[in-house]
Amino acid sequence: MVKKQMKAYQEIKGKDRTQIIIERDRIPKLFKYCSITDNNLSAFLHDEIWATSPNRFNDPYDSVFCYDKNEIIKYIQGKVIKGDNTKYKAIFNTNNIKETVDKIYNDIIEKLDSGRNNYVVSCFSEKYNSEIMWAHYAGYAKGFVLEYSGIELYDLSLDFYRYSEEIVKKTNYFGVDFSNLKQPILSTIMPIIYTNKKYNATKQIKGMIDELFELYDNTDLNNQFEGLQKFLYNKVNKQEDFDGTLLYSSLCNKRFEWRYEKEWRIWGYNINSLLLNLSPHLCMGKLKAKALYLGEYISEYDKIALLTIANNKNIPVYQMQTQVNSDRCKLVKNKIL
């Protein structure tokens, strides 16, 4: 009986969330499937790890979550009735409570829907010999797969997270004091949790609503920038512990049908917007691949090009090939360099 691979992470289930703890030294080798494109060849040549916004994924339902619409609307309505309704109507240019509630709700949902653009993700797999993935992600087995050290990917993801925070501090358009900012400890490399249940984010959205009304209440209609600056300053200096439940659950949960991918992800902030760059793609850092796997149906031209790059990097190269048995077949690797 073949032993199952020991997990490199722990799931700690609580009342309101599941916490994922990554064990760095037990992360397995991870593999990136690539089709033959100029961008993928350039990334391999220059040892670059690129990520993209989830809204560019082939699965349009990736990185989404659920919520109770009626409960959220009632919560906003209660806030509007108890608060300075006249001020809220002025901020949103509305005539009555219903219009104000609808405007705030639509604004929140729009921000949540566009929130996928705030992060970038790079995807990997524990498997290099998945027929389905070679077909879907490596150009119908005409592309290639790169092998990486899981530990080195962990370190790269953490370095990118720290770099992103420095960019946030340096750009700092609103002049917020970050001197007392408590640094959250985040695992920025995560395994996908396969489940048919989407995360219920109603509780987190209510927390966002509380923060938004704090902003509205602090807003000076004659100087809205000053109100926003004060709000951000107070938020940063509260030093609240970061709750990554919504982030992890949206970025790292997929439906059970995708379990064959055995996927891991590196995620990070999309700092392109801070650098005045609207591209959905972002280089997270440099990392040399440990090995190259060529698709079974790769063209001779592409094979020569990839072999040349791999030879210059002094990394092993494997050719994938179908091994046929009496009642089944499987992909196997043959070392050619």
Side-chain angles (χ1 to χ4, degrees):
M1 184 176 181
V2 180
K3 284 187 177 181
K4 290 184 178 180
Q5 185 179 30
M6 191 172 293
K7 285 186 176 180
Y9 63 94
Q10 299 177 26
E11 296 177 59
I12 302 176
K13 297 184 181 295
K15 182 178 180 181
D16 298 319
R17 59 176 175 168
T18 299
Q19 183 181 4
I20 305 297
I21 298 177
I22 301 298
E23 298 181 37
R24 173 183 177 274
D25 294 335
R26 296 170 67 186
I27 299 176
K29 297 176 182 178
L30 295 174
F31 303 89
K32 178 169 280 293
Y33 286 78
C34 305
S35 56
I36 300 292
T37 66
D38 289 344
N39 288 337
N40 285 338
L41 291 172
S42 176
F44 177 36
L45 177 64
H46 296 103
D47 300 325
E48 294 172 336
I49 301 294
W50 281 80
T52 191
S53 298
N55 65 347
R56 294 299 185 97
F57 288 170
N58 63 327
D59 178 7
Y61 306 104
D62 198 308
S63 304
V64 299
F65 45 84
C66 297
Y67 50 85
D68 188 323
K69 178 179 178 179
N70 292 332
E71 187 174 343
I72 290 171
I73 289 177
K74 287 180 181 178
Y75 194 73
I76 296 172
Q77 189 175 46
K79 289 279 188 180
V80 172
I81 292 172
K82 292 179 182 178
D84 188 346
N85 186 34
T86 303
K87 188 176 188 178
Y88 304 150
K89 287 193 294 185
I91 292 174
F92 290 98
N93 191 27
T94 54
N95 297 314
N96 53 56
I97 289 177
K98 184 180 185 307
E99 283 187 14
T100 305
V101 171
D102 289 344
K103 192 76 176 287
I104 294 173
Y105 172 79
N106 290 331
D107 187 52
I108 289 171
I109 298 306
E110 184 180 341
K111 284 183 170 60
L112 287 171
D113 288 341
S114 64
R116 297 200 300 174
N117 294 321
N118 295 331
Y119 298 93
V120 289
V121 176
S122 189
C123 304
F124 302 83
S125 172
E126 293 182 20
K127 299 178 66 177
Y128 66 87
N129 58 350
S130 166
E131 294 178 14
I132 301 177
M133 295 186 71
W134 273 102
H136 289 176
Y137 301 111
Y140 310 105
K142 297 177 182 178
F144 60 101
V145 164
L146 296 175
E147 175 188 319
Y148 292 96
S149 159
I151 294 174
E152 290 178 0
L153 283 171
Y154 176 98
D155 293 339
L156 178 142
S157 68
L158 196 58
D159 287 343
F160 178 77
Y161 173 77
R162 290 167 177 158
Y163 170 72
S164 301
E165 290 219 320
E166 289 304 313
I167 294 296
V168 171
K169 292 177 182 178
K170 285 179 181 178
T171 52
N172 197 3
Y173 298 129
F174 300 105
V176 179
D177 181 8
F178 288 105
S179 59
N180 293 322
L181 178 63
K182 184 177 180 180
Q183 299 289 339
I185 299 174
L186 293 178
S187 295
T188 50
I189 181 170
M190 299 286 292
I192 290 294
I193 305 301
Y194 296 101
T195 173
N196 286 337
K197 289 185 177 180
K198 292 291 185 182
Y199 183 74
N200 183 352
T202 304
K203 178 181 176 182
Q204 279 74 16
I205 294 174
K206 284 182 177 180
M208 293 171 57
I209 293 169
D210 290 339
E211 291 185 348
L212 284 173
F213 273 89
E214 182 184 344
L215 170 60
Y216 303 153
D217 293 338
N218 282 315
T219 295
D220 181 346
L221 294 177
N222 296 317
N223 190 347
Q224 294 191 26
F225 179 83
E226 185 176 323
L228 179 60
Q229 188 181 41
K230 180 181 178 182
F231 167 75
L232 292 172
Y233 179 82
N234 290 335
K235 182 174 173 60
V236 166
N237 284 277
K238 281 181 181 177
Q239 294 195 24
E240 296 174 340
D241 289 334
F242 177 82
D243 180 359
T245 308
L246 180 57
L247 184 61
Y248 291 158
S249 297
S250 60
L251 291 180
C252 297
N253 278 4
K254 293 181 72 169
R255 286 189 65 85
F256 198 66
E257 289 92 329
W258 296 88
R259 66 191 183 279
Y260 65 86
E261 292 186 341
K262 293 188 177 296
E263 184 181 349
W264 283 67
R265 288 181 174 178
I266 293 176
W267 63 267
Y269 300 121
N270 187 355
I271 56 176
N272 279 335
S273 58
L274 297 177
L275 300 174
L276 304 180
N277 181 353
L278 299 180
S279 172
H281 309 291
L282 180 66
C283 180
M284 302 184 78
K286 288 182 174 289
L287 186 63
K288 181 180 174 181
K290 296 296 183 182
L292 167 68
Y293 299 75
L294 302 175
E296 184 169 15
Y297 301 108
I298 193 169
S299 72
E300 282 301 313
Y301 178 85
D302 293 331
K303 181 176 181 177
I304 292 171
L306 287 165
L307 280 170
T308 301
I309 296 174
N311 188 50
N312 290 335
K313 294 181 180 297
N314 194 28
I315 62 173
V317 180
Y318 300 90
Q319 176 79 61
M320 302 303 296
Q321 184 178 12
T322 300
Q323 184 180 83
V324 180
N325 298 317
S326 58
D327 63 346
R328 67 188 63 190
C329 58
K330 64 178 181 179
L331 280 177
V332 296
K333 62 179 182 179
N334 295 312
K335 190 172 183 180
I336 61 173
L337 180 65

